[in-house]
Amino acid sequence: MEEIKDSSVLRPYYDPETFNVNYPAVFRPDKGVIDHNGLNIASKLTIVNQSASGSLKSLNGKISGGSTLAELTTGLKSKFLDGIMSPNQGSGSKSLNDLEWNDMINLNVWRQLMEKLLKQLSSKYFQHLIRQPFEISKLLLQVGDFDHLIGDKKSSAYHDDNDSGYDNDELEEEDDEAEPNFFVNESQVTAIEKATKHEQGDLNENGTLIKPASLDMIDILNSIMDKEGIQGVWRANNTEFIYNFLSVSLDAWFTGLLSPLLQIPDPYFIDIIHSPDVAKSAGLILLASCMSRLVLLPLDLIRVRLIISSVQSDDPLLDNDRSLRKLIRRWSWRENISKLDKDLVFLNIMYSLVGTSFSKLTGALLYHQFNIDKFTNVVLYNTMKFVSKVCELFVRLPIENLLRRSQVKFLMTENPFQIKRDAMIIKPREYVSTYQTVFKQYGRIGELWRGWRLGLLSILCGYSLKILNKPEEVLEEEKF
């Protein structure tokens, strides 16, 4: 069968000059794609930006020949003149007038924006209210010394067990007029001295110490409720919320400030896995996190001060001011930066580096090293993130514990936020330095992981929700 080379034999009714059915653009073999005015589609492209028609004429005079160039310049000049004579039809004016300025004076746009912001803030604040009591109990467990309470309970239980065998009749038969024993041994003297010091210590605390039944977080919260009521459970609530808000805001501000200098995209707008230089992006994230934490160091000290101090102490001699506005005015970097311990600054930097490395860089590591992402491997990705968060918990907790103890030590020294022992609700754990705590008190090294049960439970709940939900919009999102 012979091949038919002429398409007109198959479609004798087709006339390329008239068969356009009023389309806005038609393809002509000899001219290309043209519009209904007969102009080539190339005339629609803004490839030359001239401010006067004289420049276009000079360009056409220098380069002559061919009808395509004439059509191109004619289309550009007509579009340029249309934009001058009719500003409403110009693309630039329309974008400026109809979009930007109208949005600025449009009350509906502002109303929708404010509603969205209020909804997000209320949601975050509600989540913060639920988490705050547990954060308070965890911090008190980290910095408090509850050995005297536990020791008293153990000793009382021991004496109760030994004394249970005695009969009341035998006690009645004892001689009331027995001569007292003036000769006591050394162990009895030591026990009497310890009891006396313990009673004097309780008196010196003015009754502000909480007395939990055990080291469980629920017992800590119950003891706070018994001592100071519902107000004590949500102490430093607003300060904590402001600190978290400013931490995220400063993080984003520092990354936006430094990313142009490093010639990399802002990690808050473009994920680090899409960065042209992952190493620079990772370094920027870590640097911004450390800078934010150091800038907010005074606010963090105020937060710890409000948590460990009593909310009912009105004694002016104790200086237990609980106003964030008044406390923050006391701080001056010029005068107080020299008072900061090197240990305190070092632990702040370490805490920031560990938390940011696990939380923000795990996704980039999984993608670039193991080719695992949250779009194609949802279950595996969430499982690896769960493992990463568990590792972060057990690495971060000791550093956080040491940081809180160093903050309490600093608060008890002479500084703008100084707090006296009588105003505290806990007996502070003795802290000298990181080296002293880790290497010379190795018998109590396990105390550095206090609060791990709550952290692990939170991670398990988050992992379960991500596995059970599996939102379709996340799975269908395009991966670049």
Side-chain angles (χ1 to χ4, degrees):
M1 182 176 180
E2 295 182 359
E3 182 181 357
I4 300 176
K5 298 181 180 180
D6 190 0
S7 61
S8 62
V9 178
L10 298 176
R11 296 192 298 170
Y13 56 85
Y14 173 73
D15 184 4
E17 298 293 334
T18 59
F19 193 75
N20 54 18
V21 293
N22 296 324
Y23 287 136
V26 181
F27 174 72
R28 298 291 175 79
D30 56 340
K31 297 181 180 180
V33 180
I34 60 175
D35 60 5
H36 60 277
N37 294 326
L39 298 178
N40 193 284
I41 195 63
S43 63
K44 304 291 184 179
L45 302 176
T46 309
I47 61 174
V48 180
N49 186 14
Q50 299 291 339
S51 61
S53 60
S55 300
L56 293 173
K57 291 180 180 179
S58 61
L59 178 63
N60 192 17
K62 291 180 181 179
I63 308 176
S64 60
S67 60
T68 305
L69 182 58
E71 294 173 358
L72 174 62
T73 55
T74 302
L76 287 172
K77 286 186 289 185
S78 63
K79 185 176 181 180
F80 178 75
L81 293 176
D82 289 342
I84 296 177
M85 299 302 295
S86 179
N88 293 331
Q89 297 178 1
S91 59
S93 300
K94 183 177 180 180
S95 174
L96 180 63
N97 294 331
D98 297 342
L99 297 179
E100 297 182 4
W101 291 107
N102 287 350
D103 288 343
M104 293 293 294
I105 61 175
N106 192 341
L107 296 179
N108 290 330
V109 173
W110 283 103
R111 180 177 59 82
Q112 295 175 1
L113 180 62
M114 294 304 297
E115 288 179 354
K116 185 177 180 181
L117 288 176
L118 289 176
K119 183 178 180 181
Q120 292 179 351
L121 283 175
S122 60
S123 176
K124 293 293 184 183
Y125 193 77
F126 181 72
Q127 295 175 9
H128 169 73
L129 282 176
I130 297 176
R131 188 175 62 247
Q132 182 66 10
F134 300 100
E135 292 293 330
I136 291 174
S137 60
K138 184 180 72 171
L139 191 145
L140 294 178
L141 280 174
Q142 290 174 341
V143 302
D145 184 3
F146 300 101
D147 292 346
H148 60 287
L149 297 177
I150 300 175
D152 291 344
K153 289 180 174 54
K154 289 182 178 179
S155 61
S156 62
Y158 175 77
H159 288 299
D160 290 341
D161 292 340
N162 289 341
D163 295 340
S164 60
Y166 290 100
D167 191 3
N168 293 330
D169 296 335
E170 296 179 358
L171 296 176
E172 294 177 357
E173 293 176 358
E174 292 182 355
D175 188 4
D176 296 334
E177 298 180 357
E179 184 179 357
N181 184 14
F182 295 99
F183 302 96
V184 294
N185 54 29
E186 296 181 358
S187 61
Q188 292 175 337
V189 173
T190 305
I192 294 173
E193 291 178 353
K194 288 183 177 180
T196 304
K197 291 181 179 179
H198 180 65
E199 292 176 358
Q200 293 177 353
D202 290 342
L203 293 176
N204 292 335
E205 299 294 345
N206 293 326
T208 59
L209 289 180
I210 60 174
K211 298 179 180 180
S214 67
L215 295 181
D216 293 336
M217 289 190 175
I218 301 300
D219 290 333
I220 297 290
L221 294 178
N222 289 334
S223 63
I224 297 175
M225 286 280 291
D226 296 339
K227 181 65 67 174
E228 298 182 331
I230 193 67
Q231 182 183 3
V233 177
W234 274 279
R235 64 181 71 231
N237 181 64
N238 295 330
T239 304
E240 179 89 19
F241 183 76
I242 293 173
Y243 178 85
N244 294 334
F245 176 78
L246 291 179
S247 178
V248 177
S249 302
L250 281 177
D251 243 1
W253 189 81
F254 279 126
T255 55
L257 176 67
L258 300 176
S259 57
L261 302 178
L262 300 176
Q263 298 181 351
I264 56 176
D266 189 349
Y268 267 80
F269 291 95
I270 298 179
D271 198 346
I272 187 175
I273 64 175
H274 306 308
S275 174
D277 194 333
V278 178
K280 282 186 178 181
S281 297
L284 175 61
I285 292 175
L286 296 176
L287 177 61
S289 177
C290 292
M291 294 173 65
S292 301
R293 187 156 191 91
L294 292 178
V295 170
L296 296 177
L297 189 146
L299 189 60
D300 194 18
L301 290 172
I302 294 175
R303 180 172 64 91
V304 175
R305 184 184 192 271
L306 296 178
I307 291 177
I308 65 175
S309 61
S310 175
V311 298
Q312 297 180 350
S313 178
D314 298 328
D315 190 352
L317 299 177
L318 297 180
D319 189 19
N320 189 22
D321 196 345
R322 302 189 64 83
S323 173
L324 174 62
R325 178 173 52 86
K326 295 179 180 179
L327 288 173
I328 200 65
R329 287 180 177 178
R330 300 181 184 179
W331 183 264
S332 173
W333 280 104
R334 180 180 300 176
E335 298 177 0
N336 300 296
I337 191 172
S338 59
K339 298 180 181 179
L340 293 175
D341 296 335
K342 295 181 180 179
D343 203 22
L344 178 60
V345 177
F346 171 74
L347 289 172
N348 267 284
I349 295 175
M350 288 298 299
Y351 183 75
S352 177
L353 290 177
V354 171
T356 307
S357 299
F358 279 97
S359 61
K360 296 185 178 181
L361 303 183
T362 302
L365 178 65
L366 293 176
Y367 180 76
H368 288 285
Q369 296 296 329
F370 306 102
N371 198 23
I372 299 175
D373 59 79
K374 59 183 177 181
F375 304 112
T376 58
N377 303 288
V378 179
V379 177
L380 181 59
Y381 177 82
N382 289 324
T383 303
M384 297 301 294
K385 288 282 289 185
F386 166 75
V387 175
S388 173
K389 289 183 178 180
V390 172
C391 295
E392 176 193 358
L393 174 66
F394 288 96
V395 174
R396 178 174 52 84
L397 267 181
I399 301 176
E400 181 182 0
N401 200 311
L402 293 171
L403 173 62
R404 299 307 178 202
R405 293 184 184 182
S406 65
Q407 288 175 332
V408 174
K409 176 188 174 183
F410 176 78
L411 291 173
M412 296 177 66
T413 59
E414 185 178 356
N415 62 83
F417 306 142
Q418 183 178 6
I419 180 174
K420 295 184 178 180
R421 186 181 293 267
D422 294 339
M424 296 184 184
I425 62 173
I426 46 94
K427 179 182 178 182
R429 169 73 67 188
E430 183 182 356
Y431 177 82
V432 179
S433 64
T434 302
Y435 176 81
Q436 182 80 14
T437 305
V438 175
F439 296 101
K440 295 200 174 179
Q441 297 179 1
Y442 54 86
R444 314 185 70 166
I445 198 71
E447 296 179 358
L448 298 180
W449 279 271
R450 284 180 175 177
W452 66 269
R453 292 183 181 89
L454 177 63
L456 187 60
L457 181 61
S458 176
I459 295 173
L460 282 172
C461 293
Y463 172 71
S464 301
L465 289 175
K466 289 182 180 179
I467 294 298
L468 294 177
N469 284 339
K470 293 184 181 180
E472 296 181 359
E473 60 270 14
V474 175
L475 297 178
E476 295 177 356
E477 185 174 346
E478 182 178 359
K479 183 180 70 173
F480 295 96

